[in-house]
């Protein structure tokens, strides 16, 4: 009776080669291999005849089964409000400039001018308030 062939010397199939080539594509996509290394290793995969030769091609790559997933970038529970703060700053600056101009006109004419600055403050103020209310976190945390 003949002795069983060790696993490293067992012949591989085209499906085995394709699976290892897929792993190499993934490793190249992750930045673990340069394009040149990927090309060289794929050639070696298709020239391989045994599991031992395949293992030599992927020996320095982490095993997918034991590889811990890459931690995701934590998403803050509440988005930074930089955009809203910028809009609010521009809005308040525009209202302040118009209010100062209205005040100067009223003082130089010695009577209160028509409060036209309210047209600058009112409608855009509704938009800014709506942006604020839409950007607030919901009670359920979303």
């Amino acid at each position: 009776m003949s002795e069983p062939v060790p696993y490293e010397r067992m012949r591989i199939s085209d499906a085995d080669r394709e699976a290892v080539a897929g792993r190499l594509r993934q490793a190249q996509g992750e930045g673990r291999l340069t394009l040149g290394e990927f090309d060289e290793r794929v050639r070696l995969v298709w020239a391989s005849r045994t599991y031992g030769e395949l293992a030599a091609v992927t020996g320095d790559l982490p095993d997918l089964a034991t590889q811990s997933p890459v931690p995701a970038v934590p998403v803050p529970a509440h988005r930074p409000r930089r955009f809203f703060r910028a809009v609010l700053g521009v809005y308040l600056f525009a209202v302040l400039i118009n209010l100062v101009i209205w005040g100067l006109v009223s003082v130089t004419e010695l009577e209160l001018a028509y409060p036209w600055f309210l047209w600058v403050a009112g409608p855009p103020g509704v938009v800014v308030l709506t942006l604020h209310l839409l950007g607030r976190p919901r009670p359920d945390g979303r």
Side-chain angles (χ1 to χ4, degrees):
M1 187 175 260
S2 67
E3 200 171 302
V5 177
Y7 180 76
E8 296 82 29
R9 291 184 43 217
M10 284 187 174
R11 308 256 297 154
I12 57 173
S13 68
D14 284 342
D16 295 326
R17 289 181 188 94
E18 183 58 45
V20 173
R23 174 62 188 112
L24 291 173
R25 274 191 292 279
Q26 181 181 1
Q28 194 271 327
E30 294 170 348
R32 296 180 193 277
L33 298 174
T34 65
L35 196 52
E37 289 172 319
F38 169 73
D39 187 46
E40 178 184 339
R41 290 184 188 211
V42 167
R43 285 185 194 156
L44 290 172
V45 164
W46 287 103
S48 297
R49 290 179 300 207
T50 65
Y51 285 109
E53 291 172 355
L54 280 183
V57 174
T58 59
D60 62 341
L61 297 175
D63 185 22
L64 290 179
T66 61
Q67 182 180 356
S68 62
V70 177
V73 176
V75 177
H78 184 55
R79 243 182 22 172
R81 302 293 307 244
R82 281 182 264 167
F83 175 74
F84 174 73
R85 288 183 182 147
V87 169
L88 182 62
V90 169
Y91 167 75
L92 291 176
F93 182 73
V95 170
L96 180 65
I97 293 295
N98 281 278
L99 183 61
V100 167
I101 292 172
W102 175 81
L104 290 173
V105 168
S106 294
V107 167
T108 57
E109 294 195 8
L110 299 174
E111 68 178 75
L112 288 177
Y114 175 78
W116 51 264
F117 70 90
L118 292 175
W119 288 106
V120 175
V126 171
V127 172
V128 170
L129 178 63
T130 303
L131 283 175
H132 172 67
L133 293 176
L134 288 176
R136 294 177 64 189
R138 297 183 197 164
D140 61 0
R142 291 190 281 165

